Amino acid sequence: MSEQIEIAARTLADLFDTSSPLLPTASGSPKAFANGLDDARKLIEERFTALSELTVLLNGESEKSDAVQGAAIDLFQCSGFFYLALMQYSENLPNSLLMAGYDISVGRMPPVVSKALKRVSFAMKSAITEDITFMCPHLSNMTEQKEFEGRAQVILDKVLAQAIARTEHAVSALQENEKLDGYEPTAEDKALRARCVTIVELLAKLSQHSANPRDLAVRINAFKDSLG
């Protein structure tokens, strides 16, 4: 299993070892624009699959060797890059459509662009929904660490800052769904809530070793209140 983890971690690192944007910007004619969206979707799915495969392997490994813990760190960092790239791509997509001259009103886009947009939007939503799952192995490993002093505490606070921001997005997504008229929790919502609860428990443990435990406690308790 350890060897499989090392191979999966190297594969993941290779996918994120690039100086160019993780996701390309679509442009051009309807066909070219749609192809650009499909290229982005394929890259999203490829990276999401690599993240998911490493997560499954790490969750099934009980021995916490240096290689295994290193792979969990790689998973946390790469998924963080992925999360930021997805959020940026999602925010910029409407502007990319407008800049290319496409009317984003319902029914006004060329069918080839509309279909490609639906596919990439679904891929993005699925990846963002699963994001906090990728944080669990590293955060769980960190809870087993006895002391956080000096550089270790600085690293911890950086990890907590990123993890809290990503958790906040997941909790907010649940809250937005719950505000909808006639809302009934889906299996996806229940699974996301369970992952949020797990992450918040890990954050609560780790925040006790932070340089700013009181400030973090306020945010973490707000998550707990939201999750009920």
Side-chain angles (χ1 to χ4, degrees), residues 76-77 79-81 135 157-167:
F76 183 88
Q77 292 178 335
S79 63
F81 295 144
M135 299 195 294
D157 280 331
K158 287 182 178 179
V159 168
L160 286 171
Q162 183 184 147
I164 285 173
R166 291 162 69 179
T167 303

Side-chain angles (χ1 to χ4, degrees), residues 12 15 40-51 82:
L12 182 65
L15 287 174
R41 174 184 56 79
K42 290 171 186 175
L43 288 171
I44 290 170
E45 291 173 348
E46 182 181 35
R47 289 181 169 96
F48 177 71
T49 297
L51 289 165
F82 191 48

